[in-house]
Amino acid sequence: MTTRPAAVIILAAGEGKRMKSAVPKVLHPIAGRSLVGHVIEAAAHLEPEHVVVVVGHGRDLVVEHLAEVAPWVMPVVQEQQRGTGDAVRVAMEALTARGAQLAGPIVVLTGDTPLLTGDTLAGMLAEHDAACTVLTARVVDPSGYGRVVRTDVDVQAIVEERDATDAQRSIDEINSGMYAFDAALLAENLARLGTDNSQGEEYLTDVIGLLTGAGHRVRAHIAPDPDDIRGVNDRVQLAEAAELMRDRINVRWMRDGVTMADPSSTWIDVDVEIEPDVTLLPQTILRGPTAISTGARVGPGTTLVSCEVGADAEVIHTWAELAVIGEGAQVGPFTYLRPGAQLGDGAKAGAYVEIKNSTVGNGAKVPHLSYVGDAQIGEGSNIGAATVFVNYDGQDKHRTVVGRDVRIGSDSMLVAPVEIGDGAYTAAGSVITEDVPPGAMAVGRAKQRNIEGWVERKRADSASARSARAAREADGPSDRVPLADSTDSFREE
Ligand code: UD1
Ligand code: CA
């Protein structure tokens, strides 16, 4: 049974210098969620009364982000980064100022530990029965972290690496920077913090020594998986955390019945939903709230951003964003579906096809080399190869409506606004600028004429002329080059 915390305080005011980024560290995303967003998610698992995020560097961006992803958290500004102890005090003062009743423990977390899970926090709280419980981990390389100095079972103090003795540096149990505190004892001892250390900062970790010095007990809860408390301080650690997160997410989906041909090249955001018996082929990236229904096959080489894929659909070598792909639909290879592309059940968007803001009806097909923009294509229609929906007149976009069971000839230009009636045809190579009534054949191109003998007269010494002559001689007795006529100058000279 887990005690519900009175408040969770997430420290996120630091600059994150080592990221070398214009973006505040805690806003860098992995698996489609910011670092601080992952921590908030873990905190929410505890159902705390209040969640405070202490912000400082890049505060405007962080506050804006919090309002978007977790409007229920309370951002509190720490004007100057005077240390983790000062940051927690600022948060406690803000809670008190808002009249928060701090009945129950205070949990302190850092904003840059995205692999933290709600279960790990619940484990710490379930054991919490002291003035403070420190979340710790045993690691092979403790360098950079505060070390946990124990009496026998209890924690006596936490010593920062910079301030540690050689003997203390050899301790392999590290402070995660996450704790559960008794609220009253925390407030009381924050007031007693000094800055007598190598950084001249108020260390939250010194509260531990103050508590034990006054005879209070401090316990440690060792994180079951040391990865849970990994912090991200630079881009290398960001990539490592992303990889660990990817593996966790993939293992979960595989256990839920999703086949992955190559989990190491499959990247799935936290908000994706996948039904059992979906197959993901190598180099598939599923971002945002993408949802994939059972039996669908996605990849290889496919990125879907906020898309819906229907049951048994197949999506190969495709980039799609905010697109809906119907049941049993076929997409790709090399297809680009832009926002508002909606393919009906059994529809097809084939190779080198780009579709945006358009519906393609059930069973309708756009098989090859086409652009479809701002259009509605009825059920069962077929759009011939290399057709362009000419939606832009240089200033405004216009819509095209294609009815049911229409056959658009290859290389048609459908100049919007234009409407093609049910069952109509367009001749290949047509430029269609006027509406076509149902069942009509629209021909919108120049009539073909052949200028006999043109090549032999105008390109006399060319390979083409020699082949033409050979073909003419093989064909019949006449060896005369046909006479020139007035059409000779057609398009030439
Ligand atoms: C801290 C701990 C260390 C622990 C480590 C785990 C202290 C003194 N040390 O060290 O024992 O092993 O975390 O990662 O607490 N922050 C503020 N305001 C401040 C200072 C920091 O909000 O004035 C925030 C930072 O943004 C960061 C967190 O607090 O998210 C930790 O601060 P940081 O300076 O990174 O502490 P560490 O040196 O890593
Ligand atoms: Ca840190």
Side-chain angles (χ1 to χ4, degrees):
M1 204 198 68
T2 299
T3 330
R4 199 168 158 217
V8 174
I9 297 169
I10 300 174
L11 307 187
E15 191 176 355
K17 272 200 198 75
R18 282 171 285 170
M19 294 296 283
K20 305 209 169 119
S21 178
V23 177
K25 177 169 80 174
V26 294
L27 298 191
H28 282 259
I30 65 175
R33 184 179 280 159
S34 65
L35 299 182
V36 70
H38 285 286
V39 178
I40 291 171
E41 185 71 19
H45 189 81
L46 303 173
E47 300 181 346
E49 204 79 44
H50 307 276
V51 173
V52 177
V53 179
V54 180
V55 299
H57 276 281
R59 73 178 76 155
D60 293 346
L61 291 172
V62 180
V63 168
E64 194 183 313
H65 174 73
L66 293 174
E68 201 179 299
V69 303
W72 43 275
V73 309
M74 187 200 300
V76 169
V77 176
Q78 183 193 23
E79 291 292 346
Q80 281 185 318
Q81 281 66 65
R82 294 207 207 100
T84 46
D86 180 64
V88 172
R89 181 174 34 240
V90 167
M92 293 287 280
E93 282 167 4
L95 282 165
T96 314
R98 305 235 178 148
Q101 297 300 310
L102 300 181
I106 306 284
V107 171
V108 175
L109 307 175
T110 50
D112 60 359
T113 51
L115 296 162
L116 183 67
T117 65
D119 286 345
T120 295
L121 287 179
M124 169 177 78
L125 270 181
E127 263 185 25
H128 176 62
D129 183 25
C132 173
T133 302
V134 185
L135 184 64
T136 68
R138 288 196 183 282
V139 294
V140 180
D141 176 16
S143 56
Y145 288 97
R147 308 299 205 279
V148 178
V149 181
R150 298 222 188 202
T151 47
D152 39 33
V153 277
D154 286 2
V155 175
Q156 191 192 9
I158 290 171
V159 187
E160 291 309 291
E161 180 167 88
R162 287 185 170 89
D163 306 301
T165 62
D166 284 349
Q168 288 168 335
R169 280 186 197 192
S170 67
I171 296 171
D172 70 348
E173 186 176 11
I174 58 150
N175 171 26
S176 69
M178 303 183 230
Y179 325 77
F181 285 101
D182 175 272
L185 288 174
L186 174 62
E188 185 187 318
N189 286 283
L190 284 171
R192 296 167 60 198
L193 284 180
T195 55
D196 182 18
N197 53 57
S198 60
Q199 295 196 91
E201 289 188 352
E202 290 188 13
Y203 287 172
L204 179 61
T205 45
D206 286 349
V207 168
I208 311 301
L210 291 171
L211 287 170
T212 57
H216 296 289
R217 286 184 61 204
V218 175
R219 309 290 309 264
H221 176 73
I222 301 178
D225 179 353
D227 284 339
D228 284 13
I229 60 142
R230 256 175 197 261
V232 170
N233 295 304
D234 61 24
R235 312 266 183 160
V236 174
Q237 291 172 332
L238 184 71
E240 288 167 354
E243 202 177 325
L244 286 161
M245 179 76 72
R246 176 201 67 200
D247 291 346
R248 285 183 179 181
I249 290 171
N250 288 354
V251 163
R252 189 184 118 219
W253 286 121
M254 288 187 282
R255 298 228 189 278
D256 279 357
V258 173
T259 294
M260 284 185 202
D262 179 19
S264 70
S265 73
T266 304
W267 295 82
I268 303 174
D269 279 0
V270 285
D271 290 333
V272 170
E273 290 295 335
I274 313 176
E275 289 183 356
D277 283 322
V278 162
T279 298
L280 302 180
L281 294 163
Q283 287 163 345
T284 290
I285 301 173
L286 305 178
R287 290 168 48 193
T290 289
I292 308 203
S293 298
T294 189
R297 290 171 67 81
V298 179
T302 293
T303 298
L304 304 180
V305 184
S306 308
C307 290
E308 273 174 49
V309 178
D312 301 315
E314 193 165 18
V315 186
I316 304 169
H317 275 292
T318 289
W319 182 290
E321 181 171 359
L322 287 164
V324 178
I325 295 166
E327 220 176 290
Q330 296 276 324
V331 179
F334 315 118
T335 305
Y336 181 26
L337 301 181
R338 290 165 52 198
Q342 298 200 34
L343 306 189
D345 296 346
K348 177 176 174 130
Y352 305 106
V353 167
E354 173 179 343
I355 301 180
K356 75 114 185 174
N357 187 31
S358 296
T359 53
V360 178
N362 293 343
K365 293 182 166 57
V366 190
H368 332 271
L369 296 159
S370 291
Y371 172 64
V372 179
D374 304 308
Q376 179 186 322
I377 298 173
E379 283 184 33
S381 288
N382 189 81
I383 309 300
T387 291
V388 173
F389 285 64
V390 183
N391 61 331
Y392 184 48
D393 62 13
Q395 274 178 319
D396 298 304
K397 304 283 170 67
H398 304 280
R399 285 193 69 75
T400 298
V401 178
V402 173
R404 313 163 56 106
D405 299 313
V406 166
R407 297 287 176 264
I408 299 293
S410 291
D411 199 33
S412 290
M413 301 290 124
L414 306 180
V415 181
V418 72
E419 201 169 327
I420 318 290
D422 292 347
Y425 276 55
T426 68
S430 289
V431 178
I432 303 295
T433 54
E434 278 162 39
D435 290 352
V436 180
M441 158 64 89
V443 185
R445 65 184 186 211
K447 191 167 161 43
Q448 178 177 337
R449 59 206 169 100
N450 298 331
I451 305 168
E452 294 284 351
W454 188 94
V455 173
E456 282 178 70
R457 288 192 303 277
K458 298 290 187 183
R459 299 288 183 267
D461 289 331
S462 67
S464 302
R466 285 190 290 279
S467 294
R469 184 175 308 113
R472 179 166 53 76
E473 284 167 359
D475 217 32
S478 165
D479 60 354
R480 282 189 46 217
V481 176
L483 288 173
D485 66 23
S486 61
T487 61
D488 261 23
S489 63
F490 174 67
R491 260 214 256 168
E492 278 289 327
E493 289 132 9

